[in-house]
Amino acid sequence: MTTTTYSVTGMTCGHCTAAVTEEISKLVGVQQVSIDLNAGGTSAVHVTSESSLDESAVREAVDEAGYELATSSPGVTA
């Protein structure tokens, strides 16, 4: 398992986090998504997956939800 933290901009509420969680959860291998909401700023999106995800796929999922992927930080493999 790998957990990667992505920085996402534009989220302001629970509906925003639900939309991002739903889209990222559709990616193959994703086990869990948790979000530290920073309303109006950059929120931390923690994604636990079976293996490393293609950042472009995560970017597309976030875009589909209506938000912007700013950066990603490789996580811990367990």
Side-chain angles (χ1 to χ4, degrees):
M1 292 292 209
T2 299
T3 300
T4 304
T5 300
Y6 299 91
S7 296
V8 176
T9 59
M11 294 188 291
T12 59
C13 64
H15 175 74
C16 300
T17 61
V20 170
T21 298
E22 179 181 349
E23 291 300 327
I24 293 176
S25 293
K26 293 178 184 177
L27 298 175
V28 175
V30 171
Q31 300 295 310
Q32 181 180 3
V33 178
S34 64
I35 299 176
D36 297 330
L37 179 64
N38 179 8
T42 302
S43 299
V45 179
H46 310 284
V47 181
T48 302
S49 56
E50 294 172 359
S51 59
S52 295
L53 298 173
D54 178 31
E55 187 170 324
S56 64
V58 176
R59 184 175 304 280
E60 287 178 25
V62 171
D63 286 347
E64 183 65 28
Y67 306 97
E68 184 177 345
L69 180 68
T71 61
S72 66
S73 300
V76 176
T77 301

